[in-house]
């Protein structure tokens, strides 16, 4: 177990990491993995929000990111962090969409649900991350 620099928390850090193919069925697989991990961790109250956030981020990774993506979840004290890495170019950003548009609102949904989120450059691609609080 590793602790964050300066952290003396006695709460164990839990992590789960998956590498999934960038195919449409991967979105459902990612949701199943999130539901399973958060149930095992006793974080049922965070499942619905995390499922929606991960669905949006993974959909973007499948659509724009390349051949595969990585999903990582980490629980620290009262926060759950998630990351989706993909090797695609560009930085995702919320965009204004027409009221009749059938897509394009994913990052707006993420911003509305997550306590915090952002994009970080990574070797060979980018990481879109989020955090939500929980009360387990």
């Amino acid at each position: 177990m590793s602790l964050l620099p300066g952290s003396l928390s006695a709460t164990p850090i839990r992590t789960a990491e998956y590498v999934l193919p960038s195919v449409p069925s991967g979105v459902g697989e990612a949701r199943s993995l999130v539901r399973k991990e958060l149930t095992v961790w006793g974080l049922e109250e965070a499942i619905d929000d995390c499922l929606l956030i991960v669905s949006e981020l993974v959909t973007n990774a499948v659509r724009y990111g390349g051949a595969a993506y990585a999903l990582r979840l980490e629980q620290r004290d009262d926060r759950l962090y998630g990351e989706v890495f993909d090797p695609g170019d560009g930085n995702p950003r919320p965009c204004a969409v027409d009221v009749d548009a059938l897509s394009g609102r994913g990052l707006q949904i993420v911003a509305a649900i997550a306590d915090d989120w952002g994009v970080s450059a990574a070797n060979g691609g980018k990481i879109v991350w989020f955090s939500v609080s929980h009360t387990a």
Side-chain angles (χ1 to χ4, degrees):
M1 176 173 81
S2 63
L3 294 175
L4 298 175
S7 173
L8 298 177
S9 171
T11 302
I13 297 174
R14 296 178 180 134
T15 60
E17 297 181 42
Y18 304 95
V19 176
L20 300 164
S22 190
V23 295
S25 63
V27 178
E29 185 175 356
R31 282 194 300 260
S32 293
L33 294 168
V34 168
R35 180 180 303 280
K36 180 184 122 202
E37 289 297 336
L38 297 186
T39 299
V40 168
W41 294 355
L43 302 179
E44 287 86 358
E45 81 284 350
I47 289 174
D48 290 340
D49 287 348
C50 288
L51 288 177
L52 188 51
I53 293 168
V54 167
S55 292
E56 297 300 337
L57 298 184
V58 168
T59 297
N60 285 347
V62 167
R63 184 175 286 168
Y64 306 111
Y69 63 91
L71 169 64
R72 175 181 165 86
L73 300 172
E74 183 174 293
Q75 187 247 328
R76 293 185 235 153
D77 295 327
D78 64 346
R79 301 203 74 61
L80 180 70
Y81 296 87
E83 299 176 345
V84 175
F85 167 84
D86 73 65
D89 294 330
N91 267 346
R93 58 182 171 25
C95 56
V97 294
D98 185 80
V99 71
D100 296 324
L102 298 177
S103 65
R105 294 179 185 83
L107 292 178
Q108 293 173 351
I109 292 169
V110 171
I113 296 171
D115 293 332
D116 199 10
W117 78 279
V119 180
S120 301
N123 190 16
K126 65 186 164 299
I127 295 171
V128 183
W129 58 268
F130 68 92
S131 71
V132 295
S133 58
H134 64 79
T135 57

